[in-house]
Amino acid sequence: MQMKFPGGSSVELPLSEPERSIWPDVLKDVCVCLPQHWEAFRYITEIFILVPALLGLKGNLEMTLASRLSTAVNVGKMDSPIEKWNLIIGNLALKQVQATVVGFLAAVAAVVLGWIPEGKFQMSHAVLLCSSSVATAFIASLLQGIIMVGVIVGSKKTGINPDNVATPIAASFGDLITLAILAWISQGLYNCLDSYSYVSTLVCAFFLCLTPLWIVISSKHPASRTLLYSGWEPVITAMVISSIGGLILDKTVSDPNLAGIVVYTPVINGIGGNLVAIQSSRISTHLHFHSAPGEVPEEAKGCYYPCRTFCGSGANHRSAQVLLLLVIPGHLIFLYTIHLMKSGHTTLTPIFMAVYLAAALLQVLLLLCIADWMVHSIWRSGKDPDSFSIPYLTALGDLLGTALLALSFHFLWLIGDQDSDVGD
């Protein structure tokens, strides 16, 4: 991949297939700091609590759907045009229902986590949060769903395994779309807050009123009817976990000395979530091919131990090794790009890079181990890992990434590796 810079200079970045699949994250990561200085984000800082929860929709909905359709492609369930479109339409309608509900609940969580502990509450700000969250979740989910279906169908036609590309590509562009929509809608509603205060209420009511329509459509397709009633547990639980990560981000950003974390949070969370989603989808497809629901391969029986994830010659062992090895070179590319584009003011000192890379490596190491244990446990219980594992894993990735990054910035500040203009 060739990257051009002002002045005509360029650099060639040789990327492997997994690296190409996570590269779009940098497009979103290097510009996430821009809305940080908009009025809506400065005066209603609880919007930052929404960021991990709404970006977590990629794990709750988009990446879960991508994993389900990837498995359907690999096992031949999308060979028939009728069956293919039934799967697509039913799942897209289900995704809109879940996006609306999760967007509303994320706003409620932001109100509870952000304001009630401090004893402050403004109804107009609460309505703005609900409207921004529901509208962002609905619009972003619809756009991401269209992109994701295109990637799945395109992968099938070109003979590429969708497990390797569909999930991370859909998630990466999903982050970019979600951040852009949240920023513009929040700022637009904030501008209307004084003159047209009713606009926020109308926007929220409009998208909530569309929910029954999507319920009717999704209930007509057998593939999505079951999940319409049983697929809420991982989605809502993952949203709560992501909101806790958002609370950590909100409190850290509120400290002027640590505000630079906002640039790097989507980097570490996006890469970690994408890498573990690839591994989860691959393990799930392997189980669908070689085991009956409720039964696990011999090597996965017994108590779990971390070496089981990385030590071995199986396809899943090799993919775990490759994904772990991608962490450091991948993050180095992203850090260098952020530095060149001047998207953050935190100086890339050797100490900062060492601490940051250690946090990123620990995050992915833990996520890959958790994924191996979780996917096999869900399969052993008779449930489909495609629908249950990725929401938990990406939410845990958001929480681990944000927490480890916050600890890293606190550690760097304590030892004196700090900038006077951090987060400017």
Side-chain angles (χ1 to χ4, degrees):
M1 174 180 179
Q2 189 178 62
M3 190 170 194
K4 296 183 178 180
F5 303 105
S9 60
S10 64
V11 61
E12 188 70 25
L13 302 176
L15 304 178
S16 63
E17 179 178 316
E19 285 176 311
R20 286 196 299 271
S21 68
I22 61 175
W23 175 255
D25 262 340
V26 78
L27 300 176
K28 158 264 301 183
D29 299 330
V30 297
C31 65
V32 68
C33 62
L34 297 179
Q36 177 189 6
H37 303 294
W38 292 11
E39 286 186 353
F41 285 77
R42 285 193 287 116
Y43 294 112
I44 310 178
T45 60
E46 287 75 14
I47 294 176
F48 284 109
I49 299 179
L50 291 177
V51 172
L54 292 178
L55 294 186
L57 287 175
K58 72 177 185 286
N60 294 349
L61 307 178
E62 273 69 41
M63 294 169 76
T64 299
L65 182 54
S67 182
R68 284 203 301 266
L69 294 184
S70 296
T71 299
V73 168
N74 287 323
V75 300
K77 290 184 177 180
M78 293 183 66
D79 293 338
S80 167
I82 295 178
E83 189 174 6
K84 177 178 71 176
W85 287 110
N86 280 340
L87 278 170
I88 291 173
I89 294 174
N91 279 284
L92 286 180
L94 169 67
K95 193 160 67 69
Q96 292 307 112
V97 176
Q98 293 177 327
T100 305
V101 174
V102 170
F104 180 77
L105 293 179
V108 172
V111 173
V112 173
L113 294 174
W115 284 324
I116 290 182
E118 300 177 1
K120 300 177 181 178
F121 182 82
Q122 282 187 265
M123 180 58 71
S124 60
H125 287 184
V127 174
L128 185 147
L129 268 183
C130 289
S131 301
S132 300
S133 182
V134 171
T136 298
F138 184 94
I139 297 171
S141 180
L142 184 61
L143 294 176
Q144 293 169 46
I146 294 172
I147 293 174
M148 186 270 300
V149 169
V151 171
I152 294 284
V153 174
S155 299
K156 183 177 183 296
K157 290 184 177 181
T158 56
I160 299 174
N161 184 358
D163 278 329
N164 291 334
V165 294
T167 302
I169 287 179
S172 299
F173 283 106
D175 283 351
L176 179 62
I177 292 171
T178 303
L179 281 171
I181 294 174
L182 176 62
W184 285 103
I185 289 180
S186 299
Q187 185 61 39
L189 293 177
Y190 183 82
N191 292 337
C192 296
L193 204 56
D194 294 329
S195 303
Y196 308 97
S197 58
Y198 58 87
V199 171
S200 295
T201 304
L202 290 178
V203 170
C204 185
F206 171 75
F207 287 107
L208 289 176
C209 288
L210 291 177
T211 304
L213 172 65
W214 299 114
I215 292 176
V216 171
I217 295 174
S218 62
S219 63
K220 291 183 178 180
H221 299 275
S224 56
R225 187 183 302 122
T226 302
L227 290 173
L228 185 61
Y229 300 102
S230 64
W232 292 99
E233 174 195 339
V235 171
I236 295 177
T237 305
M239 182 274 298
V240 173
I241 296 173
S242 294
S243 296
I244 297 173
L247 178 62
I248 296 173
L249 177 62
D250 178 40
K251 297 304 180 184
T252 306
V253 169
S254 299
D255 186 343
N257 297 324
L258 306 173
I261 189 176
V262 74
V263 182
Y264 299 97
T265 301
V267 181
I268 193 170
N269 290 351
I271 293 177
N274 287 352
L275 292 178
V276 75
I278 294 173
Q279 181 70 356
S280 174
S281 186
R282 289 178 65 90
I283 296 174
S284 179
T285 298
H286 178 80
L287 291 173
H288 277 89
F289 263 120
H290 301 287
S291 303
E295 300 178 2
V296 295
E298 286 296 327
E299 65 270 15
K301 293 181 178 179
C303 295
Y304 174 80
Y305 52 95
C307 291
R308 192 178 79 186
T309 301
F310 302 99
C311 301
S313 57
N316 292 329
H317 297 110
R318 290 194 298 272
S319 65
Q321 295 163 8
V322 170
L323 292 173
L324 187 62
L325 290 174
L326 285 175
V327 174
I328 291 181
H331 274 285
L332 285 174
I333 293 173
F334 297 159
L335 287 176
Y336 184 59
T337 305
I338 291 173
H339 175 68
L340 289 177
M341 293 185 175
K342 302 184 185 302
S343 294
H345 287 265
T346 303
T347 306
L348 296 184
T349 63
I351 297 177
F352 170 80
M353 295 180 68
V355 173
Y356 175 86
L357 292 175
L361 193 63
L362 178 60
Q363 178 210 29
V364 175
L365 178 67
L366 291 173
L367 287 175
L368 291 175
C369 292
I370 294 172
D372 190 15
W373 167 79
M374 182 179 291
V375 172
H376 286 99
S377 298
I378 291 174
W379 183 263
R380 188 183 294 113
S381 67
K383 297 178 180 178
D384 185 2
D386 284 327
S387 299
F388 286 84
S389 62
I390 290 182
Y392 290 123
L393 291 171
T394 53
L396 286 173
D398 291 343
L399 179 59
L400 283 173
T402 306
L404 289 172
L405 199 56
L407 289 175
S408 299
F409 269 71
H410 278 287
F411 174 73
L412 290 168
W413 184 259
L414 289 175
I415 65 174
D417 189 76
Q418 52 196 246
D419 296 299
S420 59
D421 60 348
V422 64
D424 188 17

